[in-house]
Amino acid sequence: MNKEHSSVLKAWEATMRKTQAAKKRANSIFGITSMMNVAQNDVEDDTDKNVSTSDETYFAEKILPNGDYYTGQWHDNFPDGQGKYLWTDGCIYIGEWHKGKTMGRGRFTWPSGASYEGEFKTGYMDGTGIYIGANGDTYKGQWVMNLKHGHGIMHYSNGDSYDGEWRRGLQVGQGKYQWKNKNYYVGEWKNGVIFGKGTFVWNNGNKYEGFWEDGMPKGNGTYQWPGGSFYVGNWSKDPDEQNGTYYPSESSSAADLEWDPTTVYTDLANCKICHGERVSIMPSQKRLAMWYSTKGGDRPRRLSVDGRASVGVERPLDKTSLWESDGDGNSLREVRRDLDYELYDDTNPKFNLGLPLKVPKLGKRQGETISKGHRNYELMLNLQLGIRHSVGRPAPAIGFDLKASAFDPKEKIWTRFPPEGSKYTPPHQSCEFRWKDYCPVVFRTLRKLFKVDPADYMISICGNDALRELSSPGKSGSFFYLTNDDRYMIKTMKKSETKVFLRMLSAYYNHCRSFDNTLVIKYYGLHCVKLTGPAQKKVRFIIMGNLLRSDFTIHRRFDLKGSSLGRITDKADSEIDNITILKDLDLNFIFKLQKSWFQEFCWQIDRDCEFLEQERTMDYSLLVGLHFREISPNGELMPCERRNSQNDATHRTNMDQLLQDPKSWASIKLGTNMPTRVERTVRKPELELQLVGERTGECYEVVMFFGIIDILQDYDITKKLEHAYKSIQYDPTSISAVDPKQYSRRFRDFIFKVFAEDI
């Protein structure tokens, strides 16, 4: 190390000592309290070498106000190029930078001794790289946003190893796990657990080949011995479900016939999957300390380390003053209008970027409570009695491998509910009715597959709280009911829809079982109430999940099909509230998903559309709900760039903490609770019928929900006639009612235009 560099490091150490008192007053460097009015001379005068006021990159050595140290290439007040950054807590990054963010190849080390060397993107470990943990764990492979994602090889400090596919930090897909004792498994994984089809080989040569569930054999499988004997059967931890046949080899002894299959589960219980160490601070959480501009006086350019405010902040950044003026008295909106867009004199923000987007007014809670005296009060009581009976009825334990007979449309159970009660039903205050359960075993298994607790399910639908009826029937004439907790939606069904669903039930079940992240709406039960008396009225209904049920306020709702005819709301802007369902021509956003989510989304949309096309259904749509994270006091939506740096850093830290904690991931999955961004679009008035507007670069932080709904419309004679009639008057490509193959292709094309990878 040369003398000049050595003196800089000594100065850095001296500054660290000087700032200790300031840190204590600020509740430490990792606290949330910022130090105000710290003089600029807290920065050592001799630490900024070769200062240049041009736009060229130059070499700089800086001791920052909080004690951090940087040496390397510098451009426009940011590290840009090759550089080294030392944080006061001992973290170090050496590598490539771009506009103040780690970008390219580099090496990040933790004070614990852990290190990562590889590719970075916008502050995250992203690309290919090698991580060596403080405990000796080593991972070499692909990363996305600090998480193992793609193919990678993991060597654990306890001697175990894994070579295979990863998704968001967990083993998913095909992979091989080998234990220190030389036992190994090769096959499918799901969320870090052995799940699917695979082979387990013990170090003594014994082998199980077959299906797995939650780390244990489940379903069809074969257990083999090196001598040639084998056992074939259906495997289950439940002895009542376990059955099979033992086939001895010629050399087998009589004692071998006494072998107990349950010993396999005991042996496997000792083969634990190692999950490695947990890193407390990720590189993307190490935000850079604030420094002062060499060209713009003493104006602070950045806030501090770890997403919190550091020493050196002269005053809080004011959102309004920072973004309403460019410093010369001109409105930034006026500048943007003059430079970037030819805007039109229009009062609709869909066409005019100069008009800010505002959060819609909050509508009343959806639906009318069905109380005594309501026309459908007795129907609600019948429904609740029937559900309580169906779900609470004792039933044998079942696995996920169902017999074909379970899906037979004739597989149904009728139950009579007299007011005085019966041997199987309780007395009630409603009129006598009959209750029908369609394919009860299938729907009980679906609820199990979707991890629905039977008690919670009954409380939601059949508890003391009444259902709520939506104010008007849907386009199909069906009525909708919501449970009081908004968790479930109940829809009345036409006979034709019921037939379609029963016809496709087996395919629907297999699709949901095969694809955990399917975006197709979840169905939990199909039932019928038949009222006694002269009318003999039948009411069929289906119970489904409410896609937009959330603790967040859903500010915008879109129903998207990819067609344009009639696909615009007929309400004035002043009448639109947060429960209004907007349509394709109302859409003024592009939905931007992080890379791994976007790839998974595209793949899943393809699988779901293939399924719906195969089942000859059409007219389905993607329901999207948006919760905007940043709203100004006057109700305007706040674009990302208008938030001050402290809020931005705090948001980034919260995101990182969410990504680090696997328990938090449980609330986030494809289409549910997804923190992401949307980009505003605008349409030209003369192209009002264009489905996708022009992108503006103005982005908003949102929490997003989406899923495919209304999947039970068959392309029957009615829809064929509708298509033929409307084709005479309108462009056939704009009509919703088209052949399922064409509908699927058009739907996918549109969805892949309004969803994009967030780069």
Side-chain angles (χ1 to χ4, degrees):
M1 181 181 295
N2 57 42
K3 291 182 179 179
E4 183 181 10
H5 194 67
S6 177
S7 65
V8 171
L9 284 177
K10 287 180 179 178
W12 173 58
E13 292 172 357
T15 303
M16 285 183 63
R17 289 193 295 270
K18 285 172 59 180
T19 56
Q20 293 306 310
K23 291 177 190 177
K24 290 178 182 178
R25 292 194 301 273
N27 194 25
S28 90
I29 190 173
F30 299 111
I32 58 172
T33 306
S34 61
M35 288 287 291
M36 303 301 173
N37 301 319
V38 177
Q40 186 178 354
N41 61 16
D42 278 350
V43 182
E44 297 293 320
D45 293 336
D46 62 348
T47 58
D48 196 356
K49 309 289 184 182
N50 306 320
V51 174
S52 170
T53 58
S54 72
D55 288 333
E56 297 178 358
T57 300
Y58 62 94
F59 179 82
E61 289 182 290
K62 291 180 177 287
I63 296 174
L64 303 168
N66 66 339
D68 291 355
Y69 167 72
Y70 173 80
T71 176
Q73 291 175 296
W74 191 269
H75 176 73
D76 192 23
N77 301 293
F78 293 107
D80 202 297
Q82 288 288 336
K84 177 178 181 179
Y85 196 103
L86 292 83
W87 285 269
T88 54
D89 65 353
C91 290
I92 301 173
Y93 173 79
I94 303 174
E96 296 178 270
W97 298 79
H98 180 66
K99 295 183 179 179
K101 295 180 180 178
T102 53
M103 183 87 77
R105 294 200 63 84
R107 177 181 173 85
F108 189 96
T109 58
W110 286 259
S112 64
S115 67
Y116 168 84
E117 185 167 359
E119 294 177 305
F120 287 81
K121 182 179 178 182
T122 62
Y124 291 96
M125 299 184 288
D126 199 304
T128 58
I130 301 174
Y131 173 83
I132 302 175
N135 65 352
D137 288 352
T138 302
Y139 171 82
K140 180 179 181 181
Q142 295 175 296
W143 298 77
V144 170
M145 290 185 70
N146 297 334
L147 298 173
K148 306 174 188 71
H149 192 95
H151 182 265
I153 301 173
M154 184 80 178
H155 293 282
Y156 298 95
S157 57
N158 67 353
D160 295 355
S161 65
Y162 173 82
D163 183 348
E165 297 300 312
W166 300 76
R167 185 172 293 180
R168 292 191 296 279
L170 296 172
Q171 297 96 328
V172 176
Q174 289 287 332
K176 177 181 179 180
Y177 191 101
Q178 181 162 318
W179 284 263
K180 183 180 179 180
N181 62 8
K182 303 304 180 184
N183 292 347
Y184 68 88
Y185 167 82
V186 179
E188 297 176 346
W189 293 75
K190 175 181 170 183
N191 298 331
V193 178
I194 295 172
F195 202 112
K197 190 174 183 179
T199 302
F200 192 102
V201 180
W202 282 263
N203 52 22
N204 61 5
N206 294 351
K207 178 172 70 173
Y208 169 81
E209 184 174 0
F211 288 91
W212 299 74
E213 187 176 300
D214 294 330
M216 293 292 172
K218 178 70 173 177
N220 295 325
T222 302
Y223 189 91
Q224 297 177 328
W225 287 265
S229 303
F230 60 96
Y231 171 91
V232 180
N234 181 67
W235 293 74
S236 175
K237 292 179 70 175
D238 184 348
D240 295 335
E241 295 183 11
Q242 175 74 47
N243 60 77
T245 305
Y246 176 80
Y247 296 90
S249 66
E250 294 180 0
S251 60
S252 299
S253 64
D256 293 337
L257 296 173
E258 302 300 321
W259 175 77
D260 183 359
T262 59
T263 59
V264 173
Y265 293 91
T266 304
D267 293 341
L268 289 171
N270 298 321
C271 296
K272 304 291 186 182
I273 305 297
C274 184
H275 293 293
E277 68 172 344
R278 180 180 171 187
V279 180
S280 58
I281 298 175
M282 290 295 186
S284 50
Q285 290 178 275
K286 304 302 293 179
R287 310 299 287 172
L288 308 186
M290 180 278 301
W291 43 72
Y292 296 94
S293 169
T294 57
K295 296 187 290 185
D298 293 342
R299 182 169 60 89
R301 288 293 302 268
R302 273 251 165 144
L303 293 181
S304 68
V305 65
D306 291 307
R308 301 155 172 88
S310 176
V311 294
V313 181
E314 294 183 332
R315 60 183 179 83
L317 295 178
D318 183 83
K319 294 181 183 179
T320 306
S321 64
L322 185 62
W323 283 97
E324 294 302 320
S325 171
D326 64 358
D328 295 322
N330 299 317
S331 165
L332 284 185
R333 290 199 184 109
E334 294 293 331
V335 174
R336 177 187 257 165
R337 179 186 291 117
D338 293 339
L339 296 179
D340 297 331
Y341 295 94
E342 179 185 0
L343 295 178
Y344 301 87
D345 183 16
D346 201 290
T347 58
N348 192 334
K350 173 166 80 172
F351 302 125
N352 191 336
L353 185 61
L355 297 175
L357 296 177
K358 292 194 173 184
V359 66
K361 63 183 180 182
L362 294 179
K364 295 180 180 179
R365 194 180 188 202
Q366 285 181 288
E368 175 190 357
T369 300
I370 304 176
S371 53
K372 197 164 186 177
H374 190 281
R375 64 185 181 281
N376 286 324
Y377 178 71
E378 286 198 348
L379 180 63
M380 180 191 74
L381 292 182
N382 298 346
L383 187 156
Q384 292 178 323
L385 285 165
I387 293 292
R388 191 179 293 117
H389 172 75
S390 298
V391 178
R393 183 172 55 229
I398 51 174
F400 291 116
D401 294 318
L402 300 181
K403 296 179 180 178
S405 59
F407 299 94
D408 191 327
K410 297 178 182 178
E411 187 69 16
K412 50 198 172 189
I413 298 176
W414 278 103
T415 305
R416 178 172 162 268
F417 280 79
E420 67 275 11
S422 69
K423 182 178 178 180
Y424 303 103
T425 63
H428 59 87
Q429 298 177 347
S430 180
C431 61
E432 181 174 332
F433 68 95
R434 294 184 70 197
W435 172 264
K436 183 195 291 188
D437 272 328
Y438 293 92
C439 300
V441 173
V442 176
F443 286 104
R444 188 164 71 248
T445 311
L446 277 170
R447 293 193 293 270
K448 179 182 175 183
L449 181 68
F450 297 146
K451 296 180 172 56
V452 173
D453 181 82
D456 292 341
Y457 184 70
M458 278 200 290
I459 290 172
S460 287
I461 301 174
C462 315
N464 295 328
D465 296 313
L467 302 178
R468 306 195 316 275
E469 182 180 78
L470 297 193
S471 56
S472 60
K475 185 179 178 182
S476 64
S478 299
F479 282 86
F480 290 86
Y481 304 91
L482 279 171
T483 57
N484 189 61
D485 59 6
D486 290 333
R487 195 176 295 274
Y488 301 103
M489 183 174 284
I490 300 166
K491 176 189 174 186
T492 60
M493 298 269 286
K494 294 180 180 178
K495 187 176 182 180
S496 59
E497 289 179 308
T498 304
K499 286 184 176 180
V500 169
F501 190 36
L502 290 173
R503 184 201 72 203
M504 64 185 286
L505 183 57
S506 178
Y508 173 81
Y509 175 82
N510 291 327
H511 183 78
C512 292
R513 189 181 175 192
S514 301
F515 303 106
D516 282 353
N517 284 335
T518 178
L519 297 173
V520 174
I521 191 166
K522 292 179 171 59
Y523 292 117
Y524 301 107
L526 181 62
H527 311 281
C528 176
V529 169
K530 183 178 181 181
L531 303 178
T532 57
Q536 294 284 304
K537 181 182 178 182
K538 285 184 180 180
V539 181
R540 302 171 184 85
F541 56 89
I542 194 165
I543 301 175
M544 65 190 93
N546 181 8
L547 288 174
L548 302 187
R549 192 263 181 183
S550 170
D551 293 332
F552 295 105
T553 299
I554 303 297
H555 296 121
R556 283 294 190 210
R557 301 161 192 253
F558 294 96
D559 181 277
L560 307 174
K561 292 186 177 183
S563 57
S564 58
L565 184 62
R567 300 296 297 162
I568 190 169
T569 184
D570 55 1
K571 289 185 177 181
D573 280 352
S574 59
E575 298 176 357
I576 293 175
D577 56 30
N578 70 307
I579 63 173
T580 301
I581 304 292
L582 303 173
K583 300 178 184 178
D584 302 64
L585 295 177
D586 300 305
L587 182 64
N588 55 342
F589 296 108
I590 296 290
F591 310 115
K592 305 179 74 171
L593 303 183
Q594 181 270 331
K595 180 180 178 181
S596 61
W597 282 119
F598 179 70
Q599 292 172 344
E600 190 166 331
F601 170 79
C602 293
W603 186 86
Q604 191 60 58
I605 282 287
D606 281 334
R607 302 291 81 73
D608 290 341
C609 286
E610 286 168 3
F611 157 67
L612 296 171
E613 182 182 329
Q614 180 181 337
E615 295 304 310
R616 300 288 296 167
T617 66
M618 41 75 67
D619 217 22
Y620 44 87
S621 55
L622 189 77
L623 182 65
V624 178
L626 300 178
H627 166 79
F628 290 91
R629 297 170 65 94
E630 294 288 334
I631 301 171
S632 71
N634 65 355
E636 291 186 13
L637 302 182
M638 298 288 290
C640 301
E641 64 271 16
R642 283 179 56 190
R643 301 184 316 184
N644 66 33
S645 302
Q646 183 174 356
N647 286 346
D648 181 64
T650 302
H651 168 68
R652 186 66 164 272
T653 302
N654 292 339
M655 281 293 295
D656 283 327
Q657 291 170 347
L658 185 66
L659 290 169
Q660 287 181 70
D661 185 4
K663 292 182 180 178
S664 299
W665 301 344
S667 66
I668 300 176
K669 60 181 298 186
L670 190 66
T672 304
N673 264 352
M674 294 183 66
T676 184
R677 299 196 305 163
V678 295
E679 181 179 350
R680 185 179 178 182
T681 61
V682 292
R683 288 182 170 88
K684 294 181 179 179
E686 67 268 22
L687 298 176
E688 184 175 352
L689 294 182
Q690 69 180 119
L691 281 173
V692 184
E694 297 178 7
R695 298 170 71 157
T696 66
E698 188 171 282
C699 295
Y700 303 83
E701 299 280 359
V702 298
V703 179
M704 192 171 178
F705 303 79
F706 52 83
I708 298 174
I709 61 171
D710 296 336
I711 67 169
L712 302 181
Q713 178 58 60
D714 193 20
Y715 191 55
D716 55 15
I717 186 62
T718 304
K719 287 295 179 182
K720 290 176 181 177
L721 289 173
E722 179 186 341
H723 175 79
Y725 175 73
K726 289 183 177 179
S727 294
I728 299 172
Q729 300 173 292
Y730 308 103
D731 178 2
T733 61
S734 69
I735 302 170
S736 178
V738 295
D739 175 85
K741 189 172 184 178
Q742 182 183 345
Y743 191 94
S744 172
R745 182 171 59 251
R746 185 183 65 188
F747 178 79
R748 274 186 275 195
D749 288 345
F750 173 67
I751 294 302
F752 292 151
K753 287 177 183 176
V754 297
F755 279 79
E757 180 181 339
D758 194 0
I759 300 175

